[in-house]
Every structure is written in C-alpha cells, then in structure tokens.
Amino acid sequence: MNRTLPVLLAVASLTLPAFSLRADDAKAVWMKKCALCHGADGSGKPAMKTKDYTKAEEQAKMKDEEILKAIQEGVPNSKMKGYAGKLSGDEIKALATFVRSLKK
Ligand code: HEC
C-alpha cells in the first residue's frame, strides 16, 4: 500500500476544521452570547426592547452592513455592546449570516 496516503489524510484532517466557521458554530455562539437578549429563536425580548428577527419586515429594515456593524461596534444608547475583540471577524460574519437565517 502507498504510504503517503495516510499521511495526506492526516494532514487534511488537521487543516480542514480551520477553514471556516459552520452554521452550527454560529448557532452555538448565539445561544451562549446573544439569546439572553434576543431570544433563542431571535424573536426578541420585550424587556430588552429587541426586535423580532423572525419577521420579514424587521429583516427588511436591516442592511447587511448594519447587522455587521451592530455586532462589531454595538448599537449606541442600547444594551447592545460591540463584540469586536471578543469574537473573531469570522465569528462575527457567521453571526450576521445567522441573524438572517432567523427569518421564518
Ligand atoms: C445585553 C443584551 C444584548 C445582548 C447580549 C446582545 N444584544 Fe444585540 N441588541 C440588543 C439591543 C437592546 C439592541 C437594539 C434593539 C434592536 O435592534 O433589537 C440590539 C441590536 C442588535 C442588532 C442590530 C439590529 C438592527 O436593527 O440593526 C443586531 C444585528 C444584534 N443586536 C445582534 C446580536 C448578536 C449577534 C449578539 C450576540 C453576539 C447580540 N446581539 C447580543 C441587546 C443585546
């Protein structure tokens, strides 16, 4: 048997997970860091004055750049704090995509 194949497979398995953040990972971060104020399903919490991201109207009001900026820098005069420095750029991008996926 060719001996380079197992070596190649081992190298591939080491490098692959670093490629990109999967949707599952974004969901895990959401449940840990965001669900408290936005709800597990993104429908919002009245006490926090968060919007219902499961609604198409609320999704339509947000631009992609605004979602990214809100997660990076926070929303002024709200409880929404920025996550730049706490989460990686990839995590923030994955979360922005995840916020879009909350729409029902
Ligand atoms: C301490 C409570 C709190 C936490 C934790 C929190 N948020 Fe927020 N978030 C808010 C509030 C309050 C607003 C402003 C009201 C709104 O837009 O829903 C907001 C706004 C936003 C917006 C902007 C919406 C718009 O209208 O442009 C996004 C996107 C967002 N949050 C995503 C997240 C993500 C992702 C996380 C987790 C990494 C998170 N939030 C964690 C309270 C929170």
Side-chain angles (χ1 to χ4, degrees):
M1 187 173 123
N2 185 337
R3 276 214 232 138
T4 56
L5 187 62
V7 174
L8 282 176
L9 286 176
V11 170
S13 71
L14 282 176
T15 52
L16 273 177
F19 269 36
S20 75
L21 220 64
R22 291 171 308 131
D24 288 358
D25 299 327
K27 177 154 197 197
V29 178
W30 174 268
M31 295 309 279
K32 224 163 109 191
K33 302 199 186 271
C34 323
L36 185 72
C37 297
H38 288 280
D41 64 351
S43 60
K45 299 255 170 149
M48 287 289 164
K49 299 200 181 74
T50 43
K51 297 168 194 159
D52 186 347
Y53 298 149
T54 67
K55 289 218 172 90
E57 308 93 82
E58 293 298 344
Q59 288 282 346
K61 283 184 202 159
M62 306 186 284
K63 289 194 190 129
D64 288 345
E65 310 88 77
E66 289 167 350
I67 295 180
L68 266 179
K69 199 175 169 208
I71 304 172
Q72 276 163 348
E73 299 170 21
V75 176
N77 305 315
S78 87
K79 291 211 159 63
M80 179 70 195
K81 304 287 169 245
Y83 286 85
K86 296 191 193 117
L87 296 172
S88 73
D90 278 353
E91 283 174 313
I92 290 175
K93 272 189 226 148
L95 276 170
T97 306
F98 180 77
V99 167
R100 286 300 194 202
S101 78
L102 292 166
K103 187 174 118 181
K104 285 211 176 112

